Amino acid sequence: MQVKSFEEYQQVYRKSVDQTEQFWEEIANNFLWKKKWDKVLDWNFKEPKIEWFKGAKLNITENCLDRHLEKNGDTPAIIWEPNDPHEDHRILTYQQLHDKVCQFANVLKNNGAKKGDRICIYMPMVPELAIAVLACARIGAIHSVVFGGFSAQSIADRIKDAECNIVITADGSFRGTKEVPLKSIIDDALVQCPSIKRVIVLTRSHTPVSMIKGRDVWWEDEVKKVETQGNPHCPAEEMDAEDMLFILYTSGSTGKPKGVVHTCGGYMVYTGYTFSNAFQYQPGEVYFCTADIGWITGHSYIAYGPLTQGATSVMFEGIPTWPDAGRLWDIVEKYKVNILYTAPTAIRSLMSFGDDVVKGKDFSSLKKLGSVGEPLNEEAWHWFDERIGKGNCPIVDTWWQTETGGFMISPIANVTPLKPGYATLPLPGVQPVLVDENGKEIEGNGVSGNLCIKFPWPGMLRTTYGDHERARTTYFATYPDLYFTGDGCLRDEDGYYRITGRVDDVLNVSGHRIGTAEVENAINMHSSVVESAVVGYPHDIKGQGVYAFVVCPNLHDDPELTKKDIMMTVSRIIGAIARPDKIQFVSGLPKTRSGKIMRRILRKIAEGDTSNLGDTSTLLDPAVVEEIKAGAL
Ligand code: ATP
Ligand code: MG
């Protein structure tokens, strides 16, 4: 499934466009099916209706577990690093993971779970989270993982939306010095959720919890029951390729989260293929994705993608800044990590601690680096490349979305020539187009527009749970016959793609359309700046003015001078047109719990309209918003 040279990439890409179905059929043949498809693809973007590998039967967990047992049963599947570096780490081989998944799948069955049920998972980043996810897939139950940092109200909203009947949680979780009482938060959420009949509670933090009779059971007790019942094996439920695998709510950067639905067959093929090809994963390599399984990155590139390929994954319970900002680098050293996949927010945060935290760490095992979640600005790109990759590791800047299931536009490690700040080129099978406001395709190079995809790919969303119309209007109605990503994008003279920010966030200054990412990229090049966010606000003359929120933690000089200097930097890099009209220094930016900047909140503040900030349930730290409101210019 891996291309080995740029020429080969170009050939394969051509084929994937000219003979798309044949291309995906050949990829799909690398997986284990109980029965193969009658038809590779049936689709229309009108309804929309997208069906891949129609008529095929499979179970994704057989691809993630069973098929590796004979040759690679002893290969580590998960290496787990706890929050506290003094606690013992754990290693689960493929055989052990398989056995635990079967065991817990039987626990679920004993507790009344059936194929098609929706099961909410609200857990810390411990191996049992992966086990719970896979156990659901084993029996054909649909998981809805809710990130372990969400509030009771956010969980209740998601449980109600998906009509879940079981919750899997833990007593509590550790994140840095904090202990989060997960079970107690679940109890608060469930007051509103009569559909929940069973709560299975894992012991992790030993936080005292109250157990409700008839509803709540302990994970460990239930596992013991299964052990005494004898046969620990759990046969894998036969699933149709288009049966639902899971529901996952988006990050909520632009509004109310959407319950994105992925199905078994296409998602498996797509995550397995993209993981293997983009990272050029080789047997024996140790791969570390720093995301949480509560996000799509964790679903596709900690759980399913790597496991289908028999890879060894590091799973980390804690946070990058505890006990100190060298933690990720300690983990790289400890497990001799070869591939490190992280996010711009983490990179920028760790950069701000200066060189001391990377000094003396051993990065020699690293071969490939990756990034996802937001545009990776050039300064952060170079820091990642030089300080962490030592100039020897390709940076795989993967552009994709919860809705796309897997990587869409991304370099292939050691194959695609790189450009800092660029997601580079579409992977085989992905057909991006740029369109103008009217949906007219903008052809040629050296252009920018709204990023759409014109042909289906196996990993794409099928619907939004319980509300197909929302999927249609959000993604398929803006431009006829196109999937609309919501992102703005530039295609340069070489045909390389660079994400310029969310279309909703695009600035229109004196008739010039300017992407937020471009301005932020320039601001971040100033030596005192760690991070920034740019939004537009009504301006009498220009239509929109540029308002920049800038994080400069060590502001030694006169702030007014620094502001002037930042403005000059932007003028020099992009042009006077993009120069900020207002700069507000802030201690931090409002972010989603997955670490993305929520510009829509900043836009309201810049417009002076703070009465209704919209859906803030996915906001990480509300205090930051109050501080920014108070200091608004
Ligand atoms: P919501 O859809 O609820 O507003 P969200 O878009 O943040 O939330 P995700 O699916 O987690 O939810 O994020 C996908 C988005 O993240 C992309 O549409 C894009 O804006 C941004 N993104 C992800 N990876 C990259 C990347 N490598 N470069 C630039 N932007 C990226
Ligand atoms: Mg989105």
Side-chain angles (χ1 to χ4, degrees):
M1 298 200 287
Q2 302 178 350
V3 298
K4 289 295 168 195
S5 68
F6 195 55
E7 293 67 47
E8 192 188 349
Y9 158 76
Q10 287 167 316
Q11 278 166 16
V12 171
Y13 186 78
R14 254 301 95 226
K15 174 173 177 184
S16 78
V17 172
D18 296 341
Q19 297 164 283
T20 308
E21 296 181 24
Q22 197 188 329
F23 167 77
W24 283 117
E25 184 155 39
E26 283 167 18
I27 299 291
N29 280 329
N30 292 290
F31 294 80
L32 181 69
W33 303 84
K34 287 177 191 280
K35 172 182 173 285
K36 290 224 175 150
W37 44 92
D38 306 317
K39 195 161 184 229
V40 177
L41 172 66
D42 230 352
W43 69 288
N44 75 72
F45 279 174
K46 283 230 155 40
E47 296 176 59
K49 187 169 181 213
I50 297 114
E51 293 173 297
W52 281 93
F53 310 115
K54 236 177 139 163
K57 304 283 180 196
L58 75 150
N59 187 293
I60 195 168
T61 69
E62 289 187 324
N63 283 270
C64 292
L65 303 168
D66 306 58
R67 73 160 167 163
H68 306 309
L69 297 186
E70 201 181 318
K71 281 204 193 121
N72 291 311
D74 296 333
T75 302
I78 295 176
I79 300 175
W80 176 73
E81 170 71 8
N83 179 62
D84 181 346
H86 302 298
E87 188 183 336
D88 287 341
H89 70 278
R90 285 167 65 189
I91 295 178
L92 289 179
T93 63
Y94 274 91
Q95 183 69 56
Q96 289 165 332
L97 183 61
H98 167 272
D99 295 351
K100 287 192 180 291
V101 167
C102 281
Q103 195 180 47
F104 194 68
N106 284 326
V107 166
L108 288 175
K109 282 198 205 160
N110 279 349
N111 282 278
K114 299 180 310 298
K115 179 173 180 174
D117 285 353
R118 275 82 55 216
I119 298 185
C120 174
I121 302 179
Y122 181 68
M123 289 181 76
M125 274 288 281
V126 291
E128 284 73 16
L129 166 53
I131 292 166
V133 162
L134 293 165
C136 288
R138 188 81 174 174
I139 63 166
I142 299 160
H143 54 78
S144 168
V145 183
V146 177
F147 170 61
F150 272 120
S151 66
Q153 187 58 48
S154 304
I155 301 163
D157 290 344
R158 287 162 178 72
I159 288 178
K160 284 188 281 187
D161 190 66
E163 299 167 284
C164 299
N165 59 355
I166 296 179
V167 175
I168 308 171
T169 188
D171 46 2
S173 72
F174 300 118
R175 284 176 68 77
T177 53
K178 274 203 236 129
E179 209 178 297
V180 187
L182 298 179
K183 171 63 165 64
S184 145
I185 296 171
I186 284 291
D187 289 338
D188 290 343
L190 294 193
V191 174
Q192 302 178 41
C193 306
S195 63
I196 296 294
K197 303 293 178 233
R198 184 69 83 236
V199 180
I200 303 176
V201 188
L202 175 82
T203 306
R204 170 63 188 132
S205 62
H206 297 277
T207 312
V209 299
S210 48
M211 299 290 278
I212 307 249
K213 205 187 288 169
R215 189 193 73 180
D216 303 352
V217 295
W218 288 104
W219 175 298
E220 295 78 12
D221 292 348
E222 296 304 300
V223 164
K224 266 200 206 94
K225 278 188 209 160
V226 167
E227 277 169 355
T228 54
Q229 279 165 0
N231 187 8
H233 186 70
C234 176
E237 187 74 32
E238 184 171 289
M239 305 296 286
D240 195 276
E242 281 300 332
D243 279 339
M244 274 189 210
L245 177 63
F246 65 85
I247 305 165
L248 182 65
Y249 292 83
T250 54
S251 299
S253 306
T254 56
K256 190 171 174 283
K258 304 162 275 268
V260 169
V261 170
H262 285 288
T263 56
C264 297
Y267 177 82
M268 168 180 79
V269 170
Y270 199 69
T271 54
Y273 170 67
T274 49
F275 172 79
S276 170
N277 200 13
F279 283 127
Q280 296 277 300
Y281 184 84
Q282 302 305 318
E285 284 183 336
V286 177
Y287 162 82
F288 176 22
C289 168
T290 68
D292 192 287
I293 291 188
W295 308 116
I296 190 67
T297 304
H299 278 59
S300 301
Y301 298 110
I302 295 178
Y304 291 113
L307 292 175
T308 63
Q309 301 310 300
T312 296
S313 262
V314 177
M315 178 176 180
F316 174 40
E317 182 184 35
I319 57 172
T321 48
W322 190 80
D324 62 48
R327 186 68 192 275
L328 293 186
W329 321 132
D330 292 339
I331 298 173
V332 166
E333 201 173 306
K334 182 168 174 186
Y335 302 113
K336 302 201 169 27
V337 170
N338 305 118
I339 308 175
L340 175 69
Y341 187 35
T342 188
T345 183
I347 297 170
R348 288 193 294 260
S349 150
L350 296 178
M351 268 171 81
S352 73
F353 289 90
D355 282 346
D356 283 355
V357 288
V358 292
K359 233 182 248 151
K361 309 275 176 188
D362 183 3
F363 294 105
S364 59
S365 60
L366 284 175
K367 294 189 210 160
K368 296 160 242 184
L369 302 174
S371 167
V372 61
E374 291 179 292
L376 180 60
N377 56 289
E378 276 172 66
E379 224 210 346
W381 195 99
H382 287 296
W383 185 85
F384 202 30
D385 175 41
E386 288 157 22
R387 301 298 152 85
I388 309 303
K390 307 290 178 197
N392 284 323
C393 303
I395 297 179
V396 182
D397 181 356
T398 61
W399 173 82
W400 60 295
Q401 311 178 294
T402 307
E403 298 87 342
T404 69
F407 308 153
M408 298 290 282
I409 302 180
S410 165
I412 295 173
N414 295 319
V415 166
T416 313
L418 303 175
K419 265 190 208 183
Y422 283 76
T424 73
L425 296 168
L427 290 175
V430 176
Q431 301 186 35
V433 288
L434 302 183
V435 301
D436 67 15
E437 300 302 80
N438 305 313
K440 193 171 167 302
E441 182 168 345
I442 307 169
E443 289 178 67
N445 289 342
V447 294
S448 47
N450 300 342
L451 178 60
C452 294
I453 315 288
K454 71 172 171 196
F455 199 85
W457 63 101
M460 75 185 298
L461 87 162
R462 302 300 194 261
T463 187
T464 41
Y465 191 81
D467 190 356
H468 194 62
E469 183 57 14
R470 186 162 186 217
R472 193 186 69 79
T473 53
T474 312
Y475 309 107
F476 300 93
T478 316
Y479 306 114
D481 296 320
L482 295 175
Y483 166 82
F484 176 45
T485 67
D487 287 338
C489 185
L490 172 142
R491 186 168 54 221
D492 77 358
E493 295 302 338
D494 298 323
Y496 268 44
Y497 291 83
R498 175 185 180 109
I499 304 299
T500 51
R502 317 252 176 178
V503 170
D504 293 350
D505 294 334
V506 166
L507 313 173
N508 194 333
V509 183
S510 310
H512 298 271
R513 295 174 62 75
I514 306 171
T516 49
E518 294 179 282
V519 186
E520 289 158 10
N521 182 52
I523 294 176
N524 295 353
M525 286 187 187
H526 188 279
S527 60
S528 329
V529 176
V530 171
E531 236 184 347
S532 61
V534 161
V535 298
Y537 70 98
H539 188 286
D540 288 345
I541 299 157
K542 304 184 187 178
Q544 264 190 329
V546 180
Y547 193 130
F549 297 85
V550 180
V551 182
C552 283
N554 304 311
L555 200 56
H556 299 303
D557 309 327
D558 175 3
E560 290 309 312
L561 265 180
T562 309
K563 282 187 190 178
K564 285 221 178 76
D565 210 29
I566 292 173
M567 289 179 184
M568 289 260 296
T569 308
V570 177
S571 294
R572 223 177 296 123
I573 294 169
I574 310 178
I577 187 76
R579 200 167 87 164
D581 298 278
K582 295 183 182 180
I583 293 179
Q584 178 183 348
F585 290 119
V586 295
S587 68
L589 299 168
K591 291 192 176 177
T592 63
R593 283 163 215 263
S594 57
K596 297 171 196 231
I597 299 168
M598 281 165 104
R599 287 181 197 73
R600 66 186 161 88
I601 288 182
L602 295 172
R603 193 161 49 227
K604 290 261 185 182
I605 295 173
E607 288 167 353
D609 168 21
T610 52
S611 54
N612 176 15
L613 292 178
D615 185 61
T616 52
S617 63
T618 59
L619 193 63
L620 178 65
D621 178 10
V624 167
V625 176
E626 292 310 314
E627 178 216 297
I628 299 175
K629 267 188 347 201
L633 302 171

